[in-house]
Amino acid sequence: MYFSGPAGSRVKGARKEKIMRKGIALALAVACVSMAQDRKDALRESLKDTAVGAGWFYDDLEAGTAEAKKSGKPMLVVFR
Amino acid sequence: MEQFVCVRVVQAWGMDLSLFQFHGQLTWSVFFLNADRTIYGRYGSRAPSGTSGFKGNDRFVTLPGFRKAVEGALEIHKGYPGNKAALAGKTGPAPVARTPEAMPAAAGLSNVRQADGKSHGCVHCHQVQDWELLSLRAKGPVEDRVLWPWPMPDAVGLSLDPAERATVTEVAPGSAAAKAGLKPGDRIAALGGQSILSIADVQWVLQQAKEPCVVKGQVERGAAKVEVSLALAEGWRRAYSFADNLSLGWITRQRLAGFRCDAVGPDEKQKLGLGEKALALRIREISPDFVKDRNTSPKKAGLQKGDLIVEVDGRKDAMTESDYLAFLVQKKKPGGKVDLAYVRGAAAPVKVTVDVP
């Protein structure tokens, strides 16, 4: 993106661009997570798989692994 | 359960097969593992169809047995990473492909297709097993461990209590377990150098066992610890028929054979004037038209329900349906042919050649 004008406004413009980029990246990430969540919810609904206990990671091994790394707990992975 | 990070996986697309190797026909399979991918143990066993009846297949999954496996996994976790080296055998050899959808036999199937690079359908766990069989068959000889996967301990003469980790309830006379000196009440603490948390762990060790081989173990008998050696002979896995296996059986009998058949018993053989060891397979059903990938060649060749197959590629010695399917998988390359001789009523034997896709 190009901003015309004196040096000060170019700096402001660059900062604005950076913020905008971060904003767009964040919005995209949120959208992707939301879409992934929607897919999982749809899958869960289609399987009528609503009796999974609270605190379980549903069809998300990566998130479960990250939590196990953080907490130091062992993992229990159920394939059903 | 709050001592674990619990994850529920409901389909197999993208599953890391270098880590998660289990019996694809389970309705419930559990892995206990560390976040660094070290496996502590498995839980969840399913008796083969045809040996226990469909309704009894999940009788080895019980809450008391699961609780004991969970306790065992927590004990291992407490000793981790000091015990890491002893757990190495719990991770399997390199798979056919890293993920199910990357297996050659899965190519182009609608549930693995990613038309937009992102979406895909649901890959069933049993398909992992089916695609492994078909991918390996396309490549070369298929080992018995693929056709008779995840042997239940019965295959070596052991009956284990489903409410315990791996406690012997019965030992079949004359079996490998009997010869090894195992007794009812023995608790199998280790097998093949691995700690045992469940019947599924015993199956895991058996699944990795070569033919023939000796599997060493340690059992607790009262206060004593006893070393045992299970000598497994060539062909030890063939203790049951895989023809009734819901998935592998279906794939092989529909796609490869194109019909189902039953081995004729000794009384009927006598009535038919056949020797006790003669080959006699009665066709029970020609694969129905609704089966999409069926082998249509036997039907086109004129074979019908009730026909008696008495010769397979010149072989006249007795076979079961499972033996016949294994013969097609292991001895015939894709695109091959098999010569059959069959008898219908009192007529003379008729020879036909059918395709083996």
Side-chain angles (χ1 to χ4, degrees), chain B residues 83-113:
Chain B
N83 53 7
K84 186 171 180 172
L87 298 165
K90 298 209 175 225
T91 299
V96 170
R98 176 89 176 180
T99 59
E101 63 275 13
M103 284 200 242
L109 295 178
S110 59
N111 60 338
V112 302
R113 199 174 298 140

Side-chain angles (χ1 to χ4, degrees), chain B residues 40-43 45 90 191 194-206:
Chain B
Y40 296 162
R42 292 165 170 80
Y43 185 83
S45 299
K90 298 209 175 225
L191 200 62
Q194 298 177 34
S195 53
I196 298 296
L197 302 185
S198 64
I199 297 174
D201 274 355
V202 173
Q203 287 181 274
W204 169 252
V205 173
L206 293 177

Side-chain angles (χ1 to χ4, degrees), chain B residues 110-347:
Chain B
S110 59
N111 60 338
V112 302
R113 199 174 298 140
Q114 297 183 85
D116 57 1
K118 287 176 191 166
S119 62
H120 56 80
C122 180
V123 171
H124 300 197
C125 291
H126 71 88
Q127 290 182 305
V128 177
Q129 202 172 274
D130 301 344
W131 296 342
E132 181 191 27
L133 168 69
L134 296 173
S135 300
L136 287 171
R137 181 168 177 260
K139 231 169 80 177
V142 175
E143 294 173 293
D144 277 8
R145 66 164 190 85
V146 180
L147 285 173
W148 284 270
W150 301 92
M152 284 301 285
D154 313 51
V156 297
L158 280 174
S159 295
L160 301 181
D161 184 351
E164 299 290 337
R165 286 188 194 173
T167 299
V168 179
T169 53
E170 274 178 57
V171 178
S175 64
K179 287 173 189 162
L182 281 147
K183 296 180 190 310
D186 285 353
R187 179 180 166 261
I188 303 172
L191 200 62
Q194 298 177 34
S195 53
I196 298 296
L197 302 185
S198 64
I199 297 174
D201 274 355
V202 173
Q203 287 181 274
W204 169 252
V205 173
L206 293 177
Q207 172 70 0
Q208 307 309 316
K210 307 280 183 214
E211 294 187 38
C213 77
V214 175
V215 180
K216 296 198 170 181
Q218 189 181 62
V219 301
E220 292 170 0
R221 187 173 295 157
K225 287 188 175 167
V226 181
E227 304 294 325
V228 293
S229 292
L230 271 174
L232 304 179
E234 192 75 42
W236 65 271
R237 291 170 196 270
R238 300 185 174 214
Y240 66 92
S241 164
F242 75 87
D244 287 310
N245 183 306
L246 288 174
S247 190
L248 289 180
W250 172 270
I251 288 277
T252 49
R253 65 192 191 237
Q254 306 289 13
R255 284 197 190 189
L256 269 64
F259 57 82
R260 292 220 64 177
C261 55
D262 299 304
V264 168
D267 292 347
E268 198 182 343
K269 275 186 184 175
Q270 203 175 12
K271 280 183 201 163
L272 293 165
L274 295 167
E276 198 183 323
K277 292 182 180 172
L279 194 154
L281 290 170
R282 176 85 65 198
I283 294 183
R284 190 198 313 171
E285 179 193 60
I286 298 288
S287 291
D289 293 345
F290 67 80
V291 179
K292 194 179 152 200
D293 297 318
R294 72 194 185 282
N295 179 4
T296 55
S297 179
K299 188 177 180 181
K300 286 177 186 162
L303 283 165
Q304 293 176 11
K305 179 182 174 180
D307 287 347
L308 187 69
I309 296 172
V310 291
E311 201 175 313
V312 173
D313 257 7
R315 275 184 62 174
K316 293 182 178 179
D317 52 313
M319 273 184 175
T320 62
E321 182 182 29
S322 189
D323 293 334
Y324 177 63
L325 297 177
F327 175 80
L328 296 181
V329 173
Q330 296 178 319
K331 303 291 183 194
K332 296 288 167 184
K333 289 182 180 168
K337 292 186 185 300
V338 61
D339 296 325
L340 303 174
Y342 71 89
V343 174
R344 184 176 299 160

